[in-house]
Amino acid sequence: SNSQKLVFYNRILNPPRNILDFYKKVALERFKKISFEKIKIFLTPDFDSKMYLLKGDVVEILQEKDDWLQIRYYGKKTIEGWIKKSDVE
């Protein structure tokens, strides 16, 4: 079943582009766009990093915690971290 296949998806850090595109279509509510020019990615809500995202980048929301979102970004490298809820559209 499809729902079973999506469970395994979370373990694949670099899914093939066509699978990622399909997943974005079936799980729209999990993907959000960055709404500011440049935002920092935090390793944890208390600890920032040198990584950042740009306006228009699309991130997958893994979980919410207070004013924070744990995200995954599929770029040249797959990045996971935390951003503020207010950073996405």
Side-chain angles (χ1 to χ4, degrees), residues 4-47:
Q4 244 179 340
K5 287 182 185 143
L6 288 177
V7 171
F8 294 111
Y9 163 84
N10 259 342
R11 300 189 191 148
I12 303 171
L13 281 181
N14 290 302
R17 181 62 48 195
N18 61 335
I19 290 175
L20 185 56
D21 289 344
F22 169 76
Y23 186 63
K24 284 180 181 176
K25 285 189 186 104
V26 297
L28 267 181
E29 72 286 349
R30 284 184 62 121
F31 290 87
K32 304 267 186 226
K33 270 189 185 166
I34 300 302
S35 47
F36 296 102
E37 284 311 313
K38 189 174 178 179
I39 61 143
K40 270 191 176 189
I41 298 174
F42 289 73
L43 298 177
T44 71
D46 302 318
F47 194 78

Side-chain angles (χ1 to χ4, degrees), residues 26-88:
V26 297
L28 267 181
E29 72 286 349
R30 284 184 62 121
F31 290 87
K32 304 267 186 226
K33 270 189 185 166
I34 300 302
S35 47
F36 296 102
E37 284 311 313
K38 189 174 178 179
I39 61 143
K40 270 191 176 189
I41 298 174
F42 289 73
L43 298 177
T44 71
D46 302 318
F47 194 78
D48 71 1
S49 74
K50 289 185 167 47
M51 298 181 293
Y52 59 89
L53 293 164
L54 299 174
K55 186 172 183 155
D57 283 344
V58 175
V59 294
E60 180 183 1
I61 309 303
L62 302 178
Q63 68 167 308
E64 291 186 30
K65 189 177 179 187
D66 302 322
D67 293 332
W68 294 88
L69 298 172
Q70 186 183 26
I71 56 99
R72 183 180 292 149
Y73 173 71
Y74 300 96
K76 286 185 179 128
K77 280 187 178 168
T78 299
I79 298 167
E80 287 188 1
W82 293 82
I83 63 173
K84 295 184 175 115
K85 270 188 193 173
S86 55
D87 289 337
V88 294

